[in-house]
Amino acid sequence: MQKIKPLDSIQDLDVPLQKAIQSIPVSGRYFIALSGGLDSIALLYFCLPYLKLHTKHIQAIHINHGLSPNADAWAEFCQGTCRLLGVTCHVENVNVALKGKGIEGEARKARYEVFSRYLMGGGVLLQGHHLNDQAETVLMRVFKGLGPEAIKGIPQSRALASGYLYRPWLDTPRELLESSAKIAALTWVEDESNLDTRFDRNYVRHDVLPMLSARRPSIINDLARTARKSQESVEFIQEWCEANQHKFLSSYYLQYQAIDLQRFSEFSKTQQKFIIRFWLDRLGVAHPSDGTFQRIFGELLQAKNDSKAEVCWNDHVLRVFNDALFCLPRLLANDLELENDTSFEILIGDLGDQLCLRLPVGTLNLTLVKEGELDSCLQNNKKSQTESVYEMLCYIPESVNALTVKYRAGGEKIYLHQNHSASLKKLYQAGKVLPWLRDKLPLIYDGDELLCSLARFTAYSCQPDQVSRDRAGGRLVHFRFEMS
């Protein structure tokens, strides 16, 4: 490998490169994503003296995807370059699943899983994406008919794990990086797959953009400007949605982050579309295709409160209930298929202070509430209520040696007070318990007597004097069911 003389200062670099490097956020930990290609080698070499002004913790990460016969040679090249520059280089071998999102998508997923792991302790990860990459990305997404959320292109920075990802070269053309690297006598590797125009990005890079540049030399900068304008539009839309979310999110089903359809209907059709996209982003759900998106308005929202009407894509389902729109994992929306006699026994003698029971769709934790802990337990219950956590306090008589966990079979009755029973079905209906949860929430029995359900409804709250019968002198047990 050719000797490399480390750069002492960035002062002799072209001004655009200096400004790009000086834009890097100050951090006590830096990681450089090092593929071995031009942009990442330039990132390592040119940024190093600036990074050293802030910290000694500077490391490179090379991802070996194992997709090329030259993959191991590239890893050795990156390690050798880092040795010459006095930088630790971590080589991470990953397995790329040849399915799902395609090779490019799966390789990206594998890379970011590694990057996230390194940033669990904080820090800044630097990547070498440049102006040409931005133009290619925008053009590819335009071809797919995507909206401003996609056309905004590659973000210069974003949060990742407990740290940040930053791309200092994003406004820098590749030609400047290459000319500067040649002046510094740097060497880099060329991925032979970058010439394969079967991949969309390579087709855009080698065939489409040169043709457009011949007609319009400023096309690279023009596309980057389109990305910036789209980013501004997206930021405005997000700010507007955040400012108005109290007007369209359901206060009754707040823990499920559901949309209140009556208040939602007061917005214009255009605003409703932006709200739905914002809502899906808030939930971390990938947007559906245009056809599926139109079905939300043309079919689902017209179905009123038909809890069986749904729109599905990937692993998620949209359903409507009680004038609210819910986004559910597909597993949660599906009916629970169990044998009729499925039950789980809990021996009270095994309880001790706490017991954990794995159920078909989640985990049930039982904890004895000790004297003096009731108030803090109730407060913690209120704080922990989410779309997947269900809690209940229930008195268990001293005479009871075992409890049984079952699921709904129909016809269940429960004693809310000493001499008054109620149909569980009617309680579910009156309390507007979500229909797709009713067969998944565990029921706690003492023999044949139903003590409590882990559902949430106002007539049957977590206050101990409203739970099952008056069981003065019994043991107070905190049931916590976390659905998964």
Side-chain angles (χ1 to χ4, degrees):
M1 175 177 289
Q2 183 179 354
K3 289 281 187 180
I4 303 176
K5 182 180 182 299
L7 189 65
D8 295 326
S9 168
I10 67 171
Q11 296 303 314
D12 293 332
L13 298 176
D14 286 334
V15 172
L17 287 185
Q18 291 186 43
K19 289 183 177 179
I21 294 169
Q22 290 167 344
S23 73
I24 296 173
V26 174
S27 175
R29 286 159 52 94
Y30 289 108
F31 301 97
I32 298 173
L34 188 65
S35 67
L38 165 66
D39 46 8
S40 67
I41 289 294
L43 195 64
L44 173 68
Y45 184 76
F46 294 133
C47 295
L48 196 55
Y50 178 79
L51 302 182
K52 286 180 177 179
L53 296 176
H54 304 295
T55 182
K56 294 181 179 179
H57 194 295
I58 305 167
Q59 301 177 11
I61 306 170
H62 174 78
I63 309 296
N64 185 345
H65 299 94
L67 297 174
S68 168
N70 300 311
D72 292 338
W74 297 339
E76 291 176 5
F77 171 81
C78 289
Q79 288 180 310
T81 302
C82 286
R83 275 195 300 270
L84 293 173
L85 295 174
V87 175
T88 299
C89 180
H90 303 280
V91 174
E92 295 282 349
N93 299 313
V94 298
N95 294 317
V96 179
L98 302 181
K99 59 180 181 180
K101 300 179 180 178
I103 293 178
E104 293 174 287
E106 293 297 333
R108 182 183 186 281
K109 178 182 176 183
R111 283 196 300 277
Y112 279 86
E113 287 175 354
V114 173
F115 294 152
S116 296
R117 176 158 47 84
Y118 276 90
L119 287 176
M120 288 303 294
V124 174
L125 172 72
L126 302 179
Q127 287 188 309
H129 298 85
H130 46 67
L131 187 67
N132 298 58
D133 293 324
Q134 182 74 291
E136 293 164 8
T137 299
V138 172
L139 199 54
M140 288 166 60
R141 293 176 179 178
V142 168
F143 288 164
K144 294 179 180 178
L146 301 178
E149 300 92 344
I151 298 175
K152 68 182 183 180
I154 305 169
Q156 183 157 59
S157 65
R158 69 177 178 88
L160 185 64
S162 298
Y164 289 91
L165 182 156
Y166 190 77
R167 301 177 173 102
W169 297 155
L170 202 58
D171 292 325
T172 305
R174 187 186 190 280
E175 292 76 11
L176 178 57
L177 293 177
E178 185 171 0
S179 62
S180 300
K182 287 180 178 178
I183 291 172
L186 300 182
T187 57
W188 56 88
V189 300
E190 296 286 357
D191 185 343
E192 72 280 354
S193 70
N194 287 338
L195 299 176
D196 188 347
T197 54
R198 290 177 300 174
F199 296 112
D200 287 345
R201 183 173 292 276
N202 294 338
Y203 171 67
V204 168
R205 177 179 300 164
H206 298 297
D207 293 348
V208 178
L209 272 175
M211 179 181 63
L212 293 175
S213 295
R215 178 77 175 185
R216 187 179 181 87
S218 63
I219 189 65
I220 299 293
N221 287 303
D222 293 342
L223 289 169
R225 188 165 61 253
T226 296
R228 287 192 292 271
K229 291 180 177 179
S230 296
Q231 175 67 35
E232 291 171 356
S233 298
V234 170
E235 288 176 357
F236 172 79
I237 292 167
Q238 289 176 336
E239 289 172 2
W240 181 87
C241 288
E242 287 172 0
N244 287 278
Q245 59 186 330
H246 66 285
K247 298 179 182 178
F248 57 77
L249 288 180
S250 169
S251 57
Y252 190 90
Y253 292 113
L254 187 61
Q255 67 270 32
Y256 301 100
Q257 300 188 69
I259 289 178
D260 183 326
L261 291 179
Q262 287 189 345
R263 303 181 72 182
F264 178 76
S265 65
E266 297 172 4
F267 291 90
S268 71
K269 291 298 183 183
T270 299
Q271 290 172 333
Q272 289 178 5
K273 291 178 181 179
F274 285 127
I275 287 171
I276 293 293
R277 294 190 181 105
F278 168 82
W279 179 59
L280 294 175
D281 287 338
R282 176 189 172 106
L283 296 174
V285 176
H287 293 194
S289 66
D290 285 349
T292 301
F293 191 79
Q294 292 303 323
R295 287 185 56 215
I296 298 173
F297 295 88
E299 298 176 23
L300 184 61
L301 299 186
Q302 303 302 318
K304 302 301 180 184
N305 285 319
D306 179 2
S307 62
K308 291 296 184 181
E310 61 183 28
V311 171
C312 311
W313 73 95
N314 297 339
D315 295 324
H316 288 85
V317 178
L318 296 191
R319 281 190 179 175
V320 172
F321 176 70
N322 192 33
D323 284 323
L325 178 65
F326 297 82
C327 182
L328 319 170
R330 192 182 292 264
L331 181 64
L332 183 58
N334 293 339
D335 292 335
L336 185 61
E337 296 182 4
L338 297 171
E339 299 293 334
N340 291 333
D341 58 351
T342 297
S343 63
F344 305 86
E345 189 175 48
I346 302 170
L347 297 177
I348 299 298
D350 294 338
L351 180 56
D353 289 334
Q354 191 168 18
L355 182 68
C356 181
L357 182 65
R358 181 65 190 172
L359 299 176
V361 290
T363 303
L364 179 64
N365 288 283
L366 294 79
T367 306
L368 282 174
V369 180
K370 298 177 181 178
E371 187 175 354
E373 294 181 349
L374 177 58
D375 289 341
S376 62
C377 185
L378 290 173
Q379 288 299 320
N380 290 335
N381 281 1
K382 293 178 181 178
K383 292 178 182 178
S384 64
Q385 296 292 315
T386 70
E387 69 272 19
S388 61
V389 176
Y390 302 81
E391 301 185 270
M392 180 66 65
L393 292 169
C394 184
Y395 281 110
I396 308 298
E398 296 287 353
S399 59
V400 173
N401 296 316
L403 298 173
T404 304
V405 179
K406 298 181 181 180
Y407 288 90
R408 281 190 71 200
E412 293 89 356
K413 291 183 179 295
I414 189 168
Y415 283 88
L416 298 182
H417 302 286
Q418 185 69 35
N419 297 310
H420 175 69
S421 68
S423 161
L424 189 63
K425 178 180 179 180
K426 290 184 178 179
L427 282 173
Y428 279 175
Q429 291 173 338
K432 297 180 174 60
V433 177
L434 303 178
W436 47 86
L437 295 181
R438 296 177 188 180
D439 66 338
K440 300 176 182 67
L441 295 172
L443 306 175
I444 312 300
Y445 281 82
D446 168 17
D448 293 329
E449 181 184 358
L450 176 58
L451 298 181
C452 70
S453 160
L454 273 291
R456 299 192 190 107
F457 37 77
T458 54
Y460 183 55
S461 71
C462 65
Q463 298 295 332
D465 59 348
Q466 293 179 301
V467 175
S468 194
R469 296 182 180 182
D470 178 10
R471 299 185 181 279
R475 292 157 291 184
L476 184 59
V477 177
H478 175 212
F479 295 89
R480 185 180 192 275
F481 175 59
E482 186 165 358
M483 190 172 292
S484 61

